Amino acid sequence: MSGPPVAGPVLPIPRQRQAPQTGARRGGQRGRGPRQDYVDAFDGDSDGDGDVFAPRTGVAAHRSDPYASVTDWPSESDTDNHSPTEGGLGSAGAPPVDRDLPGVGAGRAKSGKGRAYTGIAAAAVTTVLAVVVAGQVASDGDNGGVRSEAATDQARDVRGTGAASAQPSASATPRVATLTYAQKMDKKYPLGATLKGPDKFDAVPGVDKAPGKGRKYTYRVDVEQGLGLDGTLFAEAVQKTLNDNRSWAHNGARTFERIYSGKPDFVITLASPGTTAKWCAKSGLDTTEDNVSCDSAATERVLINAYRWAQGSSTYGDKMYAYRQMLINHEVGHRLGYGHVTCDKDGELAPVMQQQTKFLDHDGIHCLANPWPYPGS
């Protein structure tokens, strides 16, 4: 493949190789001449064509637009798959080869001058970018820890916007305050007035030794299954109430001990209204009319109606602590042999053996609620 005659001398192509330089040109004049790698690519043309700058197909787009983006050029692997005789780099859209050396021709010199300016501009841009990148690397080296930390914080912030961030942290979770014994005793609990349990009981584990030296009574605490009430609280209330000096342990006359196994003197039982009525009926007592408790003397059980224990009575209102003490003292008082009595004067404290769940007033006399056998002690 040979080209038209070329006016003027053709510069020899240097054979010496040097390291590639971005934007640099080789040749006898600064900023002029073809890049060395393209010269080497055309060296040793099998056709013996000495004019390596002859026009080739496929480069028209780049010749018409010398500022075409370099991203439109083929990759290095694409150039390796073509030989000069098959269209070469030009056929694949390779960067144009600068053919405008001195003496090649006036038209070519004009075109070459534009490409030379393009090469010079590219070299300048490359140099500026190299300086900027070098400065950036140096800056990153000085502030690497800060930048890395900031990136980590940003990543953490992004993760924090997900669903998991909606969950409260452990430190933000509100703590449920632990109620004291007095607070638990003064609180009402949900339980239906017509509940009928399975008539099956669980003994509250543990032992509470008798604290006094008077006549000792032993008892066990049973709680009917399915009530949903705190059996441990109930057992604690029985022990503390009975051994209070205002109760039946007054002046050391008696002392009460809770046991878990063996034969007790009686069994204090927390039972549903239905089960309470069943056990009280065994001793000829009807608790259904006013939904009350009883001492089933014919059995070992002293029945505390769970509805009353949980909800109280209108006579005591919201004074649940005192009402529960009254329930225990009243029914155990029956077990100890005491019967029903009432107050005799208006404004007096009701005796603990008065049926205070049912009434405080009788025969025109108003009695005051009282949970203790010996209230003034």
Side-chain angles (χ1 to χ4, degrees):
M1 180 172 60
S2 59
V6 179
V10 177
L11 295 179
I13 299 175
R15 311 300 292 180
Q16 181 179 358
R17 293 181 179 270
Q18 56 182 338
Q21 299 180 16
T22 305
R25 300 280 185 174
R26 297 191 61 183
Q29 189 172 350
R30 191 172 193 180
R32 313 281 294 185
R35 287 173 51 184
Q36 184 60 41
D37 49 354
Y38 295 110
V39 174
D40 292 341
F42 284 95
D43 188 33
D45 186 2
S46 59
D47 292 340
D49 187 357
D51 186 1
V52 298
F53 305 113
R56 299 181 185 271
T57 58
V59 298
H62 291 292
R63 293 190 61 186
S64 63
D65 184 7
Y67 300 100
S69 172
V70 295
T71 58
D72 296 331
W73 297 354
S75 64
E76 191 173 6
S77 60
D78 293 334
T79 63
D80 293 340
N81 295 330
H82 299 279
S83 65
T85 57
E86 295 173 345
L89 298 176
S91 64
V97 177
D98 191 353
R99 302 175 179 83
D100 299 308
L101 296 177
V104 173
R108 294 176 182 173
K110 183 177 181 180
S111 175
K113 184 181 296 184
R115 287 193 294 273
Y117 291 156
T118 303
I120 293 172
V125 171
T126 302
T127 303
V128 172
L129 289 176
V131 172
V132 171
V133 171
Q136 184 66 40
V137 170
S139 176
D140 289 347
D142 294 338
N143 302 310
V146 176
R147 296 173 64 87
S148 176
E149 181 178 354
T152 302
D153 292 342
Q154 290 174 0
R156 187 182 297 112
D157 291 342
V158 171
R159 290 194 300 270
T161 60
S165 65
Q167 301 299 325
S169 63
S171 60
T173 302
R175 292 184 177 181
V176 177
T178 302
L179 298 179
T180 64
Y181 168 74
Q183 289 172 329
K184 292 177 181 178
M185 285 288 287
D186 208 34
K187 180 180 178 182
K188 291 185 179 182
Y189 300 96
L191 196 138
T194 59
L195 178 65
K196 184 175 182 180
D199 196 17
K200 295 181 179 179
F201 306 95
D202 293 323
V204 177
V207 173
D208 283 319
K209 292 293 185 179
K213 296 181 179 179
R215 179 180 175 182
K216 185 169 75 174
Y217 290 85
T218 61
Y219 69 94
R220 188 179 76 236
V221 172
D222 284 359
V223 177
E224 188 175 16
Q225 296 174 2
L227 295 180
L229 298 175
D230 189 344
T232 301
L233 174 65
F234 178 66
E236 184 179 4
V238 171
Q239 180 71 2
K240 287 183 175 181
T241 299
L242 292 178
N243 286 293
D244 192 293
N245 192 54
R246 295 168 292 178
S247 183
W248 302 114
H250 180 63
N251 287 339
R254 303 176 186 87
T255 187
F256 297 88
E257 179 171 298
R258 181 170 71 92
I259 64 175
Y260 179 63
S261 60
K263 179 65 176 177
D265 292 317
F266 54 90
V267 179
I268 299 182
T269 306
L270 184 64
S272 65
T275 301
T276 296
K278 178 180 178 179
W279 279 86
C280 292
K282 294 180 181 181
S283 298
L285 302 173
D286 182 8
T287 61
T288 60
E289 184 177 350
D290 296 296
N291 212 1
V292 294
S293 305
C294 84
D295 168 40
S296 181
T299 71
E300 63 178 357
R301 297 191 182 278
V302 175
L303 279 302
I304 303 297
N305 189 319
Y307 169 72
R308 292 299 182 185
W309 176 264
Q311 292 290 307
S313 69
S314 60
T315 54
Y316 272 72
D318 291 330
K319 297 179 180 179
M320 291 300 301
Y321 194 164
Y323 178 74
R324 287 167 177 152
Q325 291 171 323
M326 186 275 295
L327 276 181
I328 294 169
N329 282 324
H330 183 92
E331 300 308 334
V332 172
H334 282 308
R335 178 62 57 156
L336 296 176
Y338 295 94
H340 289 147
V341 293
T342 61
C343 72
D344 297 328
K345 296 180 180 179
D346 189 59
E348 281 187 339
L349 291 176
V352 75
M353 296 311 297
Q354 182 172 316
Q355 293 177 293
Q356 296 182 56
T357 295
K358 293 182 178 181
F359 63 90
L360 287 176
D361 300 334
H362 70 93
D363 302 325
I365 297 175
H366 174 66
C367 304
L368 302 179
N370 167 50
W372 300 108
Y374 304 94
S377 301

